[in-house]
Amino acid sequence: MFRWLGTGKGYITVLYNLGLMLVLGGTLGFLMEKITDLLGYEVHEIEHFDDRGKADKLQ
Amino acid sequence: MITFPILPGIEINLFLLVFIGFTVGIVGAFIGVGGGYMITPALMVLGFPANFAVGVGITHITAKSFIATVRHKQLGNVDAKLGVLMIAGTMAGVEIGVRLLNWVRDRGVADEAVLTASIIVMLIIGGYIVWESTKSKTKLDEMAQRRERLPRDMQLSSIPKRLQGIEIPPMIHFAKSRLTISLWAVLAVGFFTGALAGFMGVGGGFVRVPSLVYLIGMPSIIAVGTDLFEIIISGGYSIIRHTMSGNVIIYAAVLMVFGGSVGAQIGAIGTRYVRGVSVRYVLGYSVFLVSLGSMFKLAHILIGENISWIQKGAQVIIFGSMVILVVMIVALILMAAIYRRGGKIPVWAASLVWERE
């Protein structure tokens, strides 16, 4: 039914493709987050600098 | 085998599409690139016409980079402030790069010359990354021998200090990356990387990530997250352009995003397990493999069409490089996991992995 959207060039197709990729990205990203939570994997911030606590206080 | 009709008369294996999305998802999220340079030739090997290969690739990259950026943000790897400011310079640079490419072509310089120049640039960038990473690793190994505490990231370029020393207002402090630098330096680096990417006809992640590290002075893993953040915006713009040109087969892109969403998790979370030098190693080798692929492309142009050994060679390079990079990343993650549990890993690998949670 929506075959015409596949390789269309109009503004509706542009909005559809852009929106679909953003919605799909957001939904799958959210889903993956939940799956990692379910697996019990804790995701926390990486320590990029060894003196993190000290430097943050200085700022 | 489940095939998928993408265009009249062209059917593609569904699982291969998901697999390409998955592998490029791992590599892209780990080294901070979209991976168009791997996807486009891979899709062409599967049977996509060139324009559709580019359009589908960039469309899926945008969604995949969104997924990877969300994860990198949770990991504290995205310097959004620097990313946003750099985009202006990058966009202007891309425009100039594309115009320069067209200008050169209009003056009769053949595609071979442009491609040769691109290969030389890639070999220089890849060569420098591998050389610098090797030196950094040697230094880390020496520190380990002296039983000193090893830093998360270390790089040996002196350019960031010089650039940060140029105090042309407005000077901006980037808290995430812990650096203060002139806005003009950020825009100039964005412009330079954008121009190179535009001239070479690529997205430019493999130029931008080393530039963020070696020119701006950003930690490698933050450069990865920040570049993926930039790709969402530049990729969104590319979706608009390619859709208007009729180059996007959205169903194929959706299938690849499913594979990419899983791969992106592995790649992004993988950065928790390694030191910055490991990311640069993988990036350096990936740039080398890209230049090899381009050499086959050059050979194809120079020798002529339909030479079977060149086409076979290109296929081996494309799929081989994707597998090699994934194996490198997975091996690093596994070694880090073993090391954290008190297991033994090769001595040379100890300075590549991050031993703490």
Side-chain angles (χ1 to χ4, degrees), chain B:
Chain B
M1 190 172 78
I2 302 173
T3 54
F4 178 76
I6 52 156
L7 288 169
I10 304 176
E11 294 209 342
I12 302 291
N13 186 327
L14 190 147
F15 292 111
L16 271 178
L17 272 182
V18 178
F19 176 74
I20 292 172
F22 174 71
T23 49
V24 178
I26 295 178
V27 178
F30 188 82
I31 61 176
V33 300
Y37 58 87
M38 288 185 273
I39 296 165
T40 303
L43 291 181
M44 284 168 72
V45 168
L46 286 190
F48 277 80
N51 58 322
F52 287 110
V54 176
V56 170
I58 194 69
T59 302
H60 126 275
I61 281 170
T62 309
K64 187 205 69 187
S65 298
F66 185 26
I67 297 167
T69 304
V70 170
R71 188 57 93 185
H72 274 294
K73 184 92 179 88
Q74 289 173 340
L75 292 163
N77 297 344
V78 181
D79 194 328
K81 188 175 168 186
L82 198 145
V84 167
L85 289 175
M86 205 172 162
I87 283 167
T90 306
M91 291 297 193
V94 169
E95 192 58 40
I96 296 295
V98 171
R99 284 183 186 211
L100 184 67
L101 178 66
N102 292 338
W103 184 82
V104 166
R105 278 185 176 153
D106 288 346
R107 264 142 197 83
V109 178
D111 281 352
E112 294 93 304
V114 175
L115 197 54
T116 306
S118 299
I119 291 169
I120 292 168
V121 169
M122 283 190 271
L123 285 175
I124 291 170
I125 293 172
Y128 180 77
I129 299 171
V130 173
W131 173 79
E132 186 281 329
S133 304
T134 308
K135 282 195 82 171
S136 289
K137 187 186 175 304
T138 308
K139 207 166 179 181
L140 287 168
D141 288 339
E142 287 168 3
M143 287 171 75
Q145 276 179 351
R146 292 195 298 268
R147 297 194 175 279
E148 289 174 26
R149 191 181 161 114
L150 305 189
R152 181 82 193 219
D153 203 0
M154 170 196 274
Q155 60 93 6
L156 303 174
S157 168
S158 60
I159 299 172
K161 271 192 180 172
R162 286 185 214 163
L163 263 187
Q164 288 169 29
I166 302 171
E167 295 189 359
I168 304 171
M171 294 296 285
I172 300 179
H173 178 68
F174 299 97
K176 175 63 76 183
S177 306
R178 297 253 187 104
L179 56 91
T180 303
I181 193 164
S182 168
L183 171 67
W184 300 107
V186 174
L187 291 175
V189 171
F191 183 83
F192 164 72
T193 56
L196 265 184
F199 186 74
M200 290 196 284
V202 292
F206 67 85
V207 183
R208 215 155 37 236
V209 173
S211 300
L212 285 169
V213 176
Y214 296 128
L215 302 180
I216 302 266
M218 194 181 246
S220 306
I221 297 172
I222 300 182
V224 168
T226 306
D227 188 54
L228 287 167
F229 171 71
E230 270 213 56
I231 291 172
I232 301 174
I233 296 156
S234 57
Y237 179 68
S238 298
I239 289 182
I240 296 170
R241 292 296 300 268
H242 280 288
T243 303
M244 291 176 88
S245 305
N247 294 338
V248 179
I249 304 165
I250 197 69
Y251 307 103
V254 168
L255 285 172
M256 290 176 74
V257 174
F258 276 100
S261 64
V262 180
Q265 302 304 313
I266 298 171
I269 291 174
T271 57
R272 271 186 73 185
Y273 291 83
V274 295
R275 288 200 156 79
V277 69
S278 300
V279 169
R280 300 205 299 278
Y281 256 126
V282 179
L283 177 65
Y285 284 114
S286 102
V287 177
F288 263 129
L289 292 167
V290 178
S291 58
L292 266 181
S294 298
M295 282 179 205
F296 271 94
K297 198 173 164 187
L298 182 62
H300 193 254
I301 293 172
L302 290 175
I303 298 173
E305 301 283 322
N306 301 321
I307 306 286
S308 64
W309 69 266
I310 293 180
Q311 286 170 345
K312 286 257 164 30
Q315 288 173 19
V316 170
I317 291 284
I318 293 154
F319 285 103
S321 63
M322 284 159 74
V323 172
I324 289 169
L325 294 171
V326 168
V327 168
M328 281 171 85
I329 293 165
V330 172
L332 282 165
I333 297 171
L334 287 177
M335 282 194 290
I338 293 168
Y339 198 44
R340 284 180 183 184
R341 291 180 183 190
K344 281 196 171 181
I345 59 168
V347 178
W348 56 263
S351 55
L352 294 174
V353 298
W354 182 242
E355 62 276 13
R356 299 194 290 276
E357 277 291 334

Side-chain angles (χ1 to χ4, degrees), chain A residues 28-41, chain B residues 71:
Chain A
L28 285 175
F30 179 74
L31 198 68
M32 288 298 151
E33 198 185 316
K34 292 294 157 202
I35 290 172
T36 17
D37 285 350
L38 276 174
L39 292 172
Y41 190 86
Chain B
R71 188 57 93 185

